[in-house]
Amino acid sequence: EIEQLLIDQAINDVKKTHRSTHIEFRDTRIRLNAMPVRTDKVAMILELPETTSLLKKKLGSKIRAQIKRPIREGAYYKTGRMERLTDFYTVFSRNMRDLGTPVYSKDFFFEILNKFPDNAFLIVVYIQNTPVAAAFLVQFREVMEIPWASTVKKFNRYGVNMFMYFSVLELAIDRGCTSFDFGRSTKDSGTYRFKKQWGATEKQLYWYYWLRGDMDIPMLNPNNNKYRVLINAWKKLPLQIANTIGPHIVKHLP
């Protein structure tokens, strides 16, 4: 009842201002209302075993072999907070530029780490002391999630992402977590299949829309051809320029 009152209030506020064309309500359950809905997104959740030994057994020989490959190349990881932030951001911002996506500022991640000292931390994978993969982790009670993760493209042939994700799952088990949230994906996409191989199961997401007039549901994502030219142009920007102007753009993106 309270949720519906808040939704109704949001719609009424937008109707009065005439500043917005739509409202997007991201939800995890079906709502019995007449709003248009998108169902192409799912959350990928892995129920964790009690020990890392059981995790290795559950993953199977193929995944274990992929995890060992970067170790043979000298890969190792370190966890931390502020002392790992520069290395994390070096990997993350370069990867975002290469994907054609405006990046958050380094201060954005600093503030999360600062405000949630017991819940947020970083993991960085190194080869020969060079950061090659990194992730931002958040734990709440017995659930760990990975809202941001990136790798350096030229090291992907070693499978550094496999080593990093396995290390993250080990950390989650060691910290007493019972489930791991890989984040959302579009069904049957590359990231969906990557998460599925770890044994994650999908949880349906429902994105509801209030739309002004008879407009269609907006498709604000990289797969929209409307943004293809902008994405390709962004990939060619020098990293320093992308990191400078990106934070001013990304705050306006859903």
Side-chain angles (χ1 to χ4, degrees), residues 8-76:
D8 293 342
Q9 185 64 48
I11 292 171
N12 288 333
D13 286 348
V14 170
K15 283 180 177 178
K16 290 175 185 175
T17 62
H18 297 285
R19 291 184 200 169
S20 302
T21 58
H22 68 279
I23 309 175
E24 183 179 84
F25 299 96
R26 297 186 177 184
D27 212 334
T28 56
R29 63 185 179 89
I30 295 174
R31 291 186 179 276
L32 299 177
N33 55 37
M35 282 197 290
V37 62
R38 276 178 59 188
T39 57
D40 55 307
K41 299 288 185 180
V42 292
M44 300 297 287
I45 310 297
L46 175 65
E47 298 303 320
L48 295 170
E50 293 182 358
T51 66
T52 54
S53 297
L54 289 173
L55 175 65
K56 288 179 181 178
K57 185 177 179 181
K58 186 178 178 181
L59 291 175
S61 58
K62 182 179 178 181
I63 299 295
R64 291 198 299 269
Q66 289 177 291
I67 295 165
K68 290 177 183 177
R69 167 71 199 282
I71 296 175
R72 292 198 297 270
E73 300 294 336
Y76 63 95

Side-chain angles (χ1 to χ4, degrees), residues 41-250:
K41 299 288 185 180
V42 292
M44 300 297 287
I45 310 297
L46 175 65
E47 298 303 320
L48 295 170
E50 293 182 358
T51 66
T52 54
S53 297
L54 289 173
L55 175 65
K56 288 179 181 178
K57 185 177 179 181
K58 186 178 178 181
L59 291 175
S61 58
K62 182 179 178 181
I63 299 295
R64 291 198 299 269
Q66 289 177 291
I67 295 165
K68 290 177 183 177
R69 167 71 199 282
I71 296 175
R72 292 198 297 270
E73 300 294 336
Y76 63 95
Y77 76 86
K78 290 185 178 181
T79 61
R81 305 186 70 256
M82 304 307 183
E83 73 276 17
R84 299 287 157 217
L85 182 55
T86 296
D87 287 347
F88 163 80
Y89 197 73
T90 298
V91 175
F92 179 74
S93 61
R94 179 175 292 278
N95 185 54
M96 290 297 102
R97 191 278 311 273
D98 292 345
L99 292 173
T101 303
V103 71
Y104 294 107
S105 70
K106 187 177 177 181
D107 288 342
F108 173 76
F109 297 106
F110 176 90
E111 288 299 331
I112 298 175
L113 292 169
N114 189 45
K115 293 292 191 297
F116 300 98
D118 299 324
N119 303 87
F121 64 103
L122 303 168
I123 180 172
V124 182
V125 175
Y126 299 88
I127 292 180
Q128 295 181 351
N129 297 322
T130 299
V132 298
F136 197 107
L137 302 171
V138 179
Q139 181 178 349
F140 180 66
R141 294 177 181 166
E142 296 180 338
V143 179
M144 184 177 289
E145 61 179 306
I146 186 166
W148 299 285
S150 288
T151 60
V152 176
K153 190 187 297 184
K154 71 176 183 178
F155 289 94
N156 286 346
R157 66 183 185 273
Y158 299 141
V160 291
N161 59 334
M162 298 297 292
F163 173 68
M164 180 175 70
Y165 270 84
F166 178 73
S167 301
V168 167
L169 294 177
E170 280 192 312
L171 287 170
I173 292 171
D174 290 343
R175 290 170 66 100
C177 293
T178 57
S179 63
F180 183 82
D181 187 344
F182 281 89
R184 68 175 182 269
S185 292
T186 302
K187 292 179 184 178
D188 298 320
S189 65
T191 56
Y192 173 92
R193 291 190 291 273
F194 175 81
K195 296 166 185 177
K196 190 85 172 173
Q197 71 181 334
W198 295 96
T201 56
E202 61 181 66
K203 180 180 181 181
Q204 183 63 58
L205 301 178
Y206 303 90
W207 290 6
Y208 295 95
Y209 291 84
W210 173 84
L211 305 169
R212 191 180 295 281
D214 58 354
M215 69 175 288
D216 295 327
I217 291 177
M219 299 299 288
L220 301 175
N221 62 64
N223 298 322
N224 189 333
N225 289 330
K226 181 177 169 183
Y227 305 109
R228 187 60 52 194
V229 173
L230 293 173
I231 290 171
N232 288 335
W234 195 271
K235 291 178 180 179
K236 298 173 183 176
L237 286 177
L239 186 59
Q240 187 173 357
I241 293 176
N243 288 354
T244 299
I245 64 178
H248 299 287
I249 297 173
V250 73

